[in-house]
């Protein structure tokens, strides 16, 4: 998942198109005040010379700054002016190198940005990154590896030669600041300013160095995220098939439904060789509220469901009010499900007329997915048993199981037996028997 995905706006982010707008400075030209006074012509001329020189100096300085920060323009054959931004030369400047082949050198990363402040810490016992205050929430492994790699060796893409004032780069009021504390007791602070005109990086500085550098966008954007963006979004994992199991397949073994959308409980499971002859014809059967086979389309959807990943986390350690607001006090759907690896067994102890295979299961686990509500795009707002967080799951990732009802899952076949001949028929309309006769 890209960092853009991890930085999606969430209820914990500032409600603004630009969550970092509070750190942007709006520069307005100062109003000039007129100076009136009396004096001889020589004094007036002297003052005029001073003002002209001052204004010229300001204009020259502004021109130099504009040329430094503004992209150059060119004119094509039609007389139209186009703006071109030269790419940043990536020379690769190493500012900090704490490489340690034997251990992760990071102890703490204290972050300050528009959302406040938070601390990321490396747990040396469990050998994983944690969010202080949310230690039970697993951190996304990709983000963890990226953060450790970047804070271990801090590099810049390039350095600004003869930089202007820090305000020109947004460093007087930075977007983010991260202080990294290492296991050797030393620390370094990275300050992040504005994006470059070419959108290829961010201006920044590092503690103990007055130079202005250009940092890689993906790296420093880690310091702009809120704690909720670091949460691992893998909610259900695929059961692992043994290496020597040629017939094993990870799948949904069974699922029960309750909640507002299911006033009558619904239970769907894999069929088994001990089921009736008719039911063994189906891969999945419904056994509550009635025993029926499932449609071919539903069988395909249920078989293909092997794992679940959210688009993003919305809240970590949600409050009772937040849960209620998102519908978890009266959820739409509650799904109790079991995932497992299904495999064939060679020794079938009983002879079934349908020739159904005997199946066995291993590496199974059970969990509960609760759908509190839907967003405006019909994506699911969910909680998963054992994870104290609320997540947003895309419709396409969960609809295969979340939208199941008895009526849209049951097979429409009326008769399952192989009928060789029909001996008698009785037709009843409005409780009145209209026909009752022998066919043969």
């Amino acid at each position: 998942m890209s960092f853009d995905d991890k930085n999606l706006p969430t209820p914990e982010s500032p409600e603004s198109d630009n969550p970092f707008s509070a750190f942007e400075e709006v520069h307005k030209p100062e109003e000039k005040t007129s100076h009136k006074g009396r004096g001889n012509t020589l004094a007036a001329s002297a003052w005029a010379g001073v003002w002209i020189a001052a204004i010229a100096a300001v204009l020259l300085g502004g021109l130099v700054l504009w040329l430094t920060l503004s992209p150059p323009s060119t004119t094509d054959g039609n007389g139209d002016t186009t703006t071109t931004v030269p790419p940043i030369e990536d020379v690769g400047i190493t500012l900090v190198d704490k490489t340690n082949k034997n251990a992760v050198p990071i102890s703490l990363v204290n972050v300050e940005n528009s959302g406040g402040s938070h601390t990321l810490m490396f747990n040396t016992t469990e050998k994983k990154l944690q969010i202080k205050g949310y230690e039970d929430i697993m951190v996304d492994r990709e983000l963890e590896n990226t953060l450790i790699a970047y804070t271990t060796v801090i590099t810049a893409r390039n350095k600004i030669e003869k930089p202007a004032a820090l305000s020109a780069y947004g460093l007087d009021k930075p977007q983010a600041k991260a202080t990294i504390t290492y296991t050797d007791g030393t620390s370094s602070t990275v300050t992040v300013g504005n994006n470059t005109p070419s959108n290829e990086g961010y201006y920044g500085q590092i503690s103990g160095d007055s130079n202005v550098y250009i940092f890689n966008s993906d790296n420093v954007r880690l310091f702009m995220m809120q704690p909720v963006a670091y949460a691992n979004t893998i909610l259900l994992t695929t059961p692992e098939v043994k290496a020597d199991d040629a017939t094993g397949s990870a799948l949904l073994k069974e699922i029960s439904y309750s909640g507002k959308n299911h006033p009558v409980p619904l239970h769907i499971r894999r069929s088994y060789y001990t089921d009736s002859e008719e039911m063994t014809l189906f891969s999945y059967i419904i056994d509550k509220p009635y025993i029926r086979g499932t449609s071919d389309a539903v069988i395909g959807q249920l078989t293909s469901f092997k794992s679940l990943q959210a688009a993003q986390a919305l809240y970590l350690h949600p409050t009772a009010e937040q849960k209620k607001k998102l519908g978890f006090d009266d959820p739409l759907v509650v799904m109790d499900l079991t995932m497992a690896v299904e495999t064939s067994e060679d020794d079938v102890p009983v002879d079934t007329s349908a020739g159904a295979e005997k199946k066995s299961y291993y590496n199974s686990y059970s969990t509960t997915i609760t759908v509190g509500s839907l967003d405006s795009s019909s994506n699911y707002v969910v909680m998963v048993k054992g994870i104290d967080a609320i997540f947003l799951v895309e419709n396409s990732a969960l609809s295969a199981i979340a939208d199941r009802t008895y009526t849209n899952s049951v097979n429409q076949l009326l008769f399952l037996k192989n009928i060789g001949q029909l001996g008698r028929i009785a037709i009843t309309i409005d409780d009145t028997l209209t026909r009752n006769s022998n066919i043969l």
Side-chain angles (χ1 to χ4, degrees), residues 21-299:
S21 59
F23 289 87
E24 291 182 356
E25 181 179 19
V26 179
H27 297 283
K28 297 181 179 179
E30 297 181 358
E31 295 183 0
K32 296 293 189 299
T33 57
S34 61
H35 294 266
K36 296 181 179 180
R38 293 185 175 87
N40 56 35
T41 304
L42 180 61
S45 299
W47 275 109
V50 170
W51 277 108
I52 292 173
I55 293 173
V58 170
L59 292 176
L60 180 60
L63 178 62
V64 171
L65 179 60
W66 182 83
L67 291 174
T68 302
L69 299 180
S70 300
S73 299
T74 58
T75 303
D76 59 21
N78 298 323
D80 296 327
T81 300
T82 59
T83 300
T84 58
V85 180
I88 296 173
E89 183 181 358
D90 202 341
V91 298
I93 304 171
T94 300
L95 303 176
V96 174
D97 189 346
K98 296 288 184 177
T99 303
N100 185 338
K101 296 181 179 179
N102 300 318
V104 173
I106 308 302
S107 177
L108 298 172
V109 180
N110 294 301
V111 177
E112 299 175 37
N113 56 35
S114 64
S117 61
H118 60 271
T119 299
L120 300 164
M121 53 190 184
F122 189 79
N123 187 319
T124 55
T125 302
E126 300 183 21
K127 298 187 183 303
K128 64 180 182 181
L129 195 69
Q130 295 178 318
I131 309 168
K132 188 175 182 180
Y134 304 100
E135 289 84 357
D136 58 308
I137 303 295
M138 186 177 295
V139 172
D140 181 275
R141 183 54 60 89
E142 180 183 348
L143 290 179
E144 175 182 338
N145 292 337
T146 303
L147 181 68
I148 291 174
Y150 178 65
T151 52
T152 297
V153 180
I154 301 177
T155 60
R157 299 188 64 180
N158 212 323
K159 183 173 70 173
I160 301 297
E161 299 294 340
K162 298 180 180 180
L166 293 182
S167 59
Y169 309 101
L171 291 169
D172 57 332
K173 296 181 179 180
Q175 297 195 46
K177 182 181 291 187
T179 299
I180 305 101
T181 302
Y182 299 97
T183 54
D184 64 3
T186 61
S187 64
S188 296
T189 298
V190 176
T191 303
V192 184
N194 294 337
N195 199 353
T196 63
S198 60
N199 294 318
E200 294 182 86
Y202 283 84
Y203 297 114
Q205 288 184 305
I206 192 162
S207 54
D209 189 339
S210 61
N211 291 304
V212 175
Y213 297 94
I214 297 176
F215 291 106
N216 181 282
S217 297
D218 283 346
N219 292 336
V220 295
R221 284 188 65 189
L222 290 169
F223 305 140
M224 300 179 186
M225 300 193 307
Q226 310 308 317
V228 70
Y230 285 95
N232 177 38
T233 54
I234 299 175
L235 306 182
L236 300 182
T237 57
T238 304
E240 185 176 357
V241 180
K242 296 177 181 178
D244 59 352
D245 186 356
T247 63
S249 176
L251 46 71
L252 174 66
K253 182 184 178 184
E254 62 178 317
I255 183 169
S256 296
Y257 294 86
S258 59
K260 190 187 301 183
N261 290 353
H262 293 274
V264 178
L266 173 67
H267 183 251
I268 302 175
R269 64 172 174 83
R270 295 289 287 180
S271 63
Y272 201 50
Y273 75 97
T274 55
D275 289 320
S276 66
E277 177 184 348
E278 292 86 355
M279 292 300 101
T280 59
L281 299 175
F282 300 95
S283 299
Y284 285 94
I285 66 171
I286 300 170
D287 61 11
K288 285 183 182 180
Y290 312 106
I291 300 177
R292 292 295 303 273
T294 55
S295 68
D296 292 343
V298 171
I299 290 173

Side-chain angles (χ1 to χ4, degrees), residues 392-424:
L392 183 68
V393 177
E394 292 182 359
N395 182 278
S396 59
L398 192 58
S399 61
I401 65 169
D403 292 349
R404 296 273 63 81
T405 63
Y406 177 81
T407 54
N408 68 21
S409 300
V410 68
N411 196 294
Q412 300 302 311
L413 287 174
L414 297 178
F415 301 104
L416 296 175
K417 290 183 179 294
N418 182 16
I419 302 174
Q421 61 182 16
L422 186 64
R424 187 176 183 80

Side-chain angles (χ1 to χ4, degrees), residues 1-8 142-143 218 221 225 229 311:
M1 180 172 290
S2 71
F3 295 108
D4 286 338
D5 293 332
K6 300 300 294 185
N7 210 37
L8 290 171
E142 180 183 348
L143 290 179
D218 283 346
R221 284 188 65 189
M225 300 193 307

